[in-house]
Amino acid sequence: ATRTKSADVERADSGIGQMPARKWRNRASETLSSLQAWEAHRPCTDCGERDLPVETDVQNCNQRRADLCERCRKRRTERKESVLEFVNTEASYGEDLRIIKEEFYLPMQVAGLLSQEQLQGIFSNIQELIDLNESFLEILQEEIDQAFDQGDDDLMTVCIGEIFLEFVNMLPAFQTYCLQQSSSVNMLNALEKEKELLRIFLNVSQNDNTALRRMNLRSFLMAPLQRVTKYPLLLSRIIKATTEYHPDHGSLREAKSRIESHLEHINMKTKQEGNTWTLRSFRQDSKKKREVINIEMRETALKTVGWLREETRFVMEGSLQLAQPPDGQWVKKGSKTLKFQNMQVLLLVNIKRVSESSLESAEPGPVKDAVLVLIRDKNNGKFHLLREPLRLSNCIVSTDPDCDDTFELIEIRREAFVFRDSDRARTHHWFRQIRRYSRELGSWKKRRNALPNIMISTPHTRP
């Protein structure tokens, strides 16, 4: 009896009677039902829609990718297949390149069937393409293996676009090979008619060498052309299966645009050289046309400075207005009496390679040299240099507060140039970039902050 009274008192003190307790249990049941309903219809993590099917079997629910809708599951499957197709076809292309070298080039070289000059004429820069393919394929395969090791069976962490842009320097190598393809085939045809031993070797190789799959040398020499024209198609398939929220979506589109622009540039070059064949043509828009022009200017600049392609970085490029003042007074240089002319300007930096792969380190190596290349507008289908490149190690760059829409670059003991852009903010950006690299180079770095009217020959420096 005492225990019952004690329990009654405790229940009365708690303030929870039978009716409130029943309402609380009903509310808890409703909340649980709501949570279960939300769990059954939670939004898809890829597209955000709520059309996920309701799973009654808990085990099946845990095994399936329950956070994706049916459409996104199919899209992920398509993306995985497209990524694997890109990697596998790159590996097959690499095998064909190695066949060209090991089954044709090396045996012909060892047997003395052709001279080194003739081999170079037929096989062009095949070794450069082999090296690029091996590096590119190695990075792709590492990304695939790492994704599987981390449990990413859909390969969503593999960013083909970013990797492709890191190896964008392989596109000029394709261009070199493609432009020489016509002359290579003509040389091979002439030598095959002239040299009986060469003709016998090629026939025996095609019929008896199982590694060649009964294909002749001409078919294998077409492999780089076929590969470079297939890149846009393979990238388009990955783009189609990649949601716009994926971090690689923008890089994929940029990579596709870059390769299409290079293909158009190759076609333009082949027409200029009088060749009748062209690569696959792509519809041009204004952006691609501008990129083709940029490719031409970069080639002109790179040929002018004579640097290695893999050690060159194009920091800035674009149109600037240029004037050469007749006197040395800064006030007059900023006046309206100056006559400006439009000029294409490229800022190139020569850097040391930190490692064999550019992906191993995000930071560029130390700067060895930096130049400004001044190119006149296109005339008769070709670009013309205004003068020899301006080496920033021999230049002083400065600006004046009273003329903040221009900046001046003085080549020590030679000429002075005044630059400006139609956009003042971009003028300032050009100035900061050029000043940055000019300060890092040369024995004049202590005078980089000097005003242009200070005599260069004076031993004093500005504090």
Side-chain angles (χ1 to χ4, degrees), residues 119-298:
L119 290 171
Q120 179 66 29
I122 293 176
F123 295 97
S124 186
N125 62 329
I126 196 71
Q127 185 60 52
E128 182 182 12
L129 294 177
I130 291 175
D131 295 339
L132 288 169
N133 167 261
E134 290 178 350
S135 300
F136 188 36
L137 187 61
E138 181 181 0
I139 297 299
L140 289 172
Q141 195 60 56
E142 286 179 359
E143 291 292 316
I144 297 292
D145 295 341
Q146 184 177 0
F148 282 132
D149 292 342
Q150 295 176 350
D152 178 19
D153 295 335
D154 294 329
L155 303 180
M156 294 299 291
T157 57
V158 177
C159 296
I160 296 293
E162 292 183 4
I163 300 174
F164 193 95
L165 291 177
E166 287 287 343
F167 282 87
V168 75
N169 278 339
M170 67 182 177
L171 298 181
F174 276 108
Q175 174 178 316
T176 300
Y177 186 90
C178 292
L179 293 179
Q180 296 182 10
Q181 177 64 18
S182 180
S183 61
S184 298
V185 173
N186 292 336
M187 179 180 289
L188 177 61
N189 293 336
L191 291 173
E192 191 174 3
K193 292 179 181 179
E194 176 184 345
K195 297 179 178 292
E196 183 179 1
L197 289 179
L198 175 63
R199 185 168 60 253
I200 294 174
F201 167 76
L202 294 177
N203 290 334
V204 171
S205 298
Q206 180 179 355
N207 295 325
D208 298 341
N209 192 341
T210 57
L212 304 187
R213 309 188 298 274
R214 292 193 173 275
M215 294 170 56
N216 57 27
L217 175 58
R218 293 174 187 82
S219 300
F220 281 100
L221 291 177
M222 290 295 295
L225 280 73
Q226 296 169 348
R227 184 58 185 171
V228 73
T229 54
K230 196 173 182 180
Y231 280 134
L233 178 61
L234 295 172
L235 292 172
S236 295
R237 292 178 182 174
I238 301 177
I239 293 172
K240 184 178 179 181
T242 303
T243 176
E244 60 182 298
Y245 304 108
H246 193 279
D248 196 40
H249 190 269
S251 298
L252 285 168
R253 289 192 172 277
E254 183 180 355
K256 180 174 177 288
S257 178
R258 294 285 291 272
I259 181 61
E260 289 179 354
S261 298
H262 271 274
L263 292 178
E264 291 293 348
H265 180 62
I266 294 173
N267 285 337
M268 182 190 65
K269 285 288 188 181
T270 57
K271 292 179 182 178
Q272 291 177 355
E273 296 180 4
N275 295 326
T276 56
W277 65 272
T278 57
L279 298 175
R280 178 186 174 189
S281 181
F282 295 88
R283 185 177 61 184
Q284 284 193 356
D285 54 25
S286 58
K287 181 179 179 181
K288 288 187 177 62
K289 289 180 180 179
R290 290 195 301 270
E291 179 61 24
V292 170
I293 294 176
N294 291 340
I295 294 171
E296 290 184 72
M297 289 195 301
R298 292 174 201 145

Side-chain angles (χ1 to χ4, degrees), residues 360-400:
E360 292 183 9
S361 176
E363 294 295 329
V367 176
K368 295 193 293 184
D369 202 356
V371 298
L372 272 186
V373 179
L374 309 180
I375 301 178
R376 293 183 184 274
D377 288 336
K378 207 171 184 182
N379 185 19
N380 296 327
K382 294 182 180 180
F383 288 105
H384 297 279
L385 294 175
L386 174 67
R387 63 184 308 283
E388 62 185 28
L390 291 166
R391 298 199 174 274
L392 298 188
S393 58
N394 299 327
C395 295
I396 291 177
V397 188
S398 57
T399 186
D400 191 283

Side-chain angles (χ1 to χ4, degrees), residues 324 387 390 395 409-417:
Q324 291 185 268
R387 63 184 308 283
L390 291 166
C395 295
L409 185 144
I410 296 180
E411 192 177 16
I412 296 173
R413 301 183 186 278
R414 296 191 65 179
E415 298 177 276
F417 302 89

